[in-house]
């Protein structure tokens, strides 16, 4: 399995058998969080954005040592991280990453967008099996979701790391070849889907009812989950497995 950003967190919780526990805790955290921006924290030298610590708490709330052992024994989960161009400073890399994501999201209807890669960002795939503790797994997932200043800057061997979506929001190319039949799960709608031998693309039946970085609306998150469950059930019926 190959995943990126929050998709990696969901994949780990599912295969660790702790999704229900983690989802419940995440919704409780959202229900108690009033804002996505706390400007008064500037004077207190505290995080202005609550996303980083809430994200980490949600991961650690569902992944313990037992869950790590289950993940090591289950199918390999590879997580995509974006490495910035070697010539770019941290601020330049942040700006380029934001521009590339904006171009790919709003500028064209391409499932496998590549603006970040053309700019010079490189993909780095790391296996969940390399994570020996819940804390190192949280570090890996947050690195794959790293969007400063919403999250703390992730680093590895002295290099800044960024959200893997900068190089590929749909990292199907990270599946080892020959990979047999591949199911590609999308989190947004496209007018047309690629036709690639050996791949089946599945997209939501309607727009996801919550923003990716809205950490205040637990009801919308539940609606997104309900949409996914309904779509998943319909897909299984079409396959003849439901």
């Amino acid at each position: 399995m190959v995943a990126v950003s929050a998709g990696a967190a969901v994949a780990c919780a599912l295969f660790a058998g702790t999704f229900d526990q983690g989802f419940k805790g995440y919704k409780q955290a959202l229900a108690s969080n009033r804002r996505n921006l706390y400007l008064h924290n500037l004077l207190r030298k505290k995080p202005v954005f609550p996303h980083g610590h809430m994200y980490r708490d949600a991961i650690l709330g569902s992944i313990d040592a037992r869950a790590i052992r289950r993940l090591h024994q289950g199918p390999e989960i590879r997580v995509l991280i974006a490495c910035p161009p070697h010539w770019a400073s941290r601020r330049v890399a942040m700006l380029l990453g934001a521009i590339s994501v904006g171009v790919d999201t709003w500028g064209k209807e391409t499932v496998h967008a590549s603006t970040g890669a053309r700019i010079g960002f490189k993909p780095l795939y790391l296996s969940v099996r390399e994570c020996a503790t819940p804390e190192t797994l949280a570090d890996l997932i947050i690195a794959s979701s790293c969007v400063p200043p919403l999250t703390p800057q992730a680093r590895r061997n002295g290099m800044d790391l960024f959200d893997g979506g900068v190089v590929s929001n749909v990292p199907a190319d990270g599946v080892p070849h020959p990979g047999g039949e591949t199911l590609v799960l999308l989190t947004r709608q496209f007018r047309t889907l690629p036709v690639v031998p050996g791949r089946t693309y599945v997209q939501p039946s309607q727009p996801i009812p919550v923003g990716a970085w809205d950490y205040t609306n637990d009801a919308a998150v539940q609606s997104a989950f309900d949409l996914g469950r309904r779509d998943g059930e319909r897909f299984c019926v079409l396959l003849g497995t439901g």
Side-chain angles (χ1 to χ4, degrees), residues 12-222:
C12 288
L14 287 172
F15 283 92
T18 59
F19 177 83
D20 290 343
Q21 166 191 337
F23 189 49
K24 179 180 179 181
Y26 179 60
K27 287 193 298 179
Q28 290 175 341
L30 297 188
S32 63
N33 179 51
R34 296 176 298 165
R35 302 185 183 92
N36 289 309
L37 178 66
Y38 292 87
L39 288 176
H40 62 272
N41 280 348
L42 286 171
L43 301 177
R44 302 177 182 180
K45 296 183 178 180
K46 294 182 178 180
V48 173
F49 298 97
H51 305 75
H53 72 83
M54 291 180 66
Y55 197 2
R56 178 175 287 275
D57 288 347
I59 296 169
L60 296 178
S62 63
I63 301 295
D64 55 15
R66 185 178 180 182
I68 288 289
R69 289 194 295 271
R70 287 177 179 167
L71 289 173
H72 288 179
Q73 295 165 2
E76 183 178 18
I77 301 174
R78 303 176 73 205
V79 179
L80 173 61
I81 300 171
C83 300
H86 65 86
W87 46 264
S89 66
R90 177 178 298 179
R91 291 185 177 181
V92 170
M94 289 171 57
L95 178 61
L96 291 175
I99 292 173
S100 66
V101 170
V103 169
D104 289 341
T105 301
W106 305 112
K108 55 187 177 180
E109 277 285 319
T110 304
V111 173
H112 295 288
S114 58
T115 301
R118 292 199 299 271
I119 290 175
F121 284 88
K122 302 294 184 182
L124 172 64
Y125 291 95
L126 297 177
S127 175
V128 167
R129 293 176 179 172
E130 297 180 21
C131 301
T133 65
E135 290 75 19
T136 54
L137 178 61
D139 289 342
L140 173 58
I141 293 173
I142 291 175
S144 181
S145 312
C146 183
V147 184
L150 293 178
T151 66
Q153 179 64 63
R155 297 179 64 82
R156 176 183 171 89
N157 298 328
M159 178 186 294
D160 290 335
L161 304 174
F162 295 91
D163 189 316
V166 172
V167 287
S168 179
N169 227 13
V170 186
D173 289 339
V175 177
H177 296 289
E181 293 294 320
T182 301
L183 177 63
V184 183
L185 303 178
L186 305 174
T187 56
R188 55 179 286 223
Q189 290 183 309
F190 296 87
R191 283 192 292 269
T192 59
L193 297 178
V195 178
V196 180
R199 290 184 188 174
T200 298
Y201 289 81
V202 181
Q203 64 180 348
S205 60
Q206 56 187 273
I208 301 297
V210 65
W213 293 103
D214 183 358
Y215 277 29
T216 64
N217 195 336
D218 59 307
V221 169
Q222 181 65 55

